[in-house]
Amino acid sequence: MRGTLILMLAAPILIVSTVTAQDSPVVGLNPLTEVEFSQLSQRDPNPLSEKALAIHPDQWKHAETEHFIYHFVHGYVATPVSIEAEFHYRVVAKELEREQLTTDIKSHIYIFESPEEWQQFQTFGHLEQWTGGIHSAGSLFIQRDPAYKFSNNSLGHEIVHLVLHRFYTDGIPCWLDEGLAQFISKDAHASYQRARGYISKPHSDSIAPADLIPLATLVTITHPPSERVHTFYDESERLVRFLDTTDKPSFLKLLDALARHQPFETALVQFYPAQFSNVAALEEKFREYASKDFGSSLQQASN
Ligand SMILES: [Zn+2]
């Protein structure tokens, strides 16, 4: 178990399945149509964009879909990324009831292939330990080794961040951003797999009661704490799941209030008046929910 956790932390993006290229579930893809850089519909104002495209500038190709612009080396690496990106866009918009929201700003995704170039680029941005990607001001930078088949929810997780950033450009609290990224991408990953003929159920990790971070602390954390990174992500995901399933309309109002920088306790009491009179009342019910099935999921988690 411990060994698995360390491996996941050290190299999360290298978690691969044994599915070979011939078994690929992604069949009949419409390959991305390459577009000249000068012909792209939008520019990326992110300073990291310039840094990325300056690394072997002659290698980069470009393409667009409805909500994203891609910068990549090989089309066969970028095409599956584009399918997952648009898939997750729809899932997030539906989950947050933002399907009617129209914005023509596209998010940029940079796909590195060479490990050396990726390492070189990492010095410019902050690597998310959970996924191995770099999300910065609405743009995403990732590495994909074409030799591997990626089968976890790490790309989905990053795409959720991109879409959340588009809907809430001023940012949302860290627990909510990471919790939503996990909550939505885990469920979406399972349905994505099911749509391609795999048997897959979303898996939410429960937390040992003694490990839980007190809610008053959790909601004020501004960056995933590296010494408790697993607990932070799992607990944030469970809290989002709990608030969402307790009362979805209230959850969406809470999300909007927190995006407008309202304090957590004030917004909680305002939008869940019948369920939680204060954070302590939420904590009491949440602790039980967060630790539910703890122990029985250990086997599954260590697989
Ligand atoms: Zn994240």
Side-chain angles (χ1 to χ4, degrees):
M1 179 69 185
R2 175 160 279 268
T4 310
L5 290 180
I6 290 165
L7 183 71
M8 284 177 69
L9 279 177
I13 208 141
L14 291 180
I15 296 169
V16 296
S17 78
T18 50
V19 179
T20 63
Q22 289 89 337
D23 299 322
S24 173
V26 188
V27 288
L29 295 180
N30 289 325
L32 283 169
T33 307
E34 209 186 309
V35 180
E36 284 294 319
F37 184 77
S38 60
Q39 298 302 309
L40 287 172
S41 68
Q42 291 168 27
R43 294 283 172 265
D44 187 356
N46 192 323
L48 288 186
S49 164
E50 220 179 328
K51 302 274 189 199
L53 299 179
I55 298 174
H56 280 213
D58 52 320
Q59 75 180 338
W60 294 101
K61 297 186 172 82
H62 318 274
E64 297 192 28
T65 56
E66 191 180 353
H67 301 100
F68 301 91
I69 294 178
Y70 312 88
H71 309 274
F72 56 93
V73 181
H74 290 107
Y76 61 87
V77 176
T79 295
V81 172
S82 72
I83 308 277
E84 252 198 86
E86 288 294 345
F87 176 83
H88 279 85
Y89 182 90
R90 288 193 300 276
V91 173
V92 179
K94 185 160 185 282
E95 181 64 33
L96 303 183
E97 298 177 4
R98 294 291 181 118
E99 290 128 306
Q100 304 312 319
L101 187 121
T102 49
T103 160
D104 60 358
I105 295 181
K106 299 188 179 190
S107 311
H108 290 252
I109 301 178
Y110 301 79
I111 309 162
F112 287 80
E113 292 183 15
S114 140
E116 294 75 27
E117 288 169 23
W118 177 238
Q119 246 178 354
Q120 194 184 333
F121 177 74
Q122 273 176 42
T123 55
F124 301 123
H126 180 79
L127 194 73
E128 181 169 357
Q129 275 180 303
W130 197 254
T131 62
I134 291 173
H135 173 228
S136 162
S139 300
L140 174 64
F141 305 84
I142 52 170
Q143 193 221 344
R144 303 252 113 176
D145 183 333
Y148 288 103
K149 173 94 191 75
F150 295 87
S151 68
N152 61 13
N153 68 318
S154 63
L155 176 62
H157 175 109
E158 288 294 353
I159 304 285
V160 177
H161 282 318
L162 281 189
V163 183
L164 286 172
H165 187 273
R166 185 193 304 236
F167 294 153
Y168 302 101
T169 38
D170 273 351
I172 53 175
C174 188
W175 71 269
L176 191 55
D177 200 15
E178 297 304 342
L180 272 169
Q182 282 296 80
F183 171 56
I184 297 177
S185 68
K186 281 185 177 205
D187 288 7
H189 183 69
S191 52
Y192 191 74
Q193 295 287 88
R194 280 199 302 274
R196 280 149 188 82
Y198 287 88
I199 297 165
S200 187
K201 274 198 290 189
H203 175 65
S204 164
D205 286 310
S206 56
I207 305 129
D211 289 346
L212 283 167
I213 300 167
L215 287 189
T217 308
L218 185 83
V219 300
T220 57
I221 288 174
T222 54
H223 190 263
S226 47
E227 71 284 6
R228 304 188 72 181
V229 70
H230 266 85
T231 305
F232 177 78
Y233 280 88
D234 289 343
E235 188 172 338
S236 297
E237 188 257 353
R238 280 263 160 148
L239 183 56
V240 165
R241 199 176 282 275
F242 183 60
L243 291 168
D244 183 88
T245 51
T246 297
D247 188 331
K248 172 101 183 184
S250 295
F251 176 70
L252 294 178
K253 286 181 200 146
L254 177 78
L255 174 57
D256 281 343
L258 295 177
R260 295 195 317 277
H261 310 170
Q262 305 292 304
F264 179 75
E265 172 131 12
T266 316
L268 177 75
V269 176
Q270 187 183 352
F271 299 118
Y272 288 87
Q275 294 95 339
F276 313 116
S277 53
N278 51 36
V279 173
L282 166 66
E283 181 133 41
E284 200 185 318
K285 290 179 183 163
F286 173 66
R287 283 185 73 85
E288 193 187 323
Y289 179 83
S291 304
K292 206 166 79 181
D293 304 327
F294 181 75
S296 63
S297 65
L298 271 180
Q299 183 58 40
Q300 206 176 344
S302 64
N303 280 344

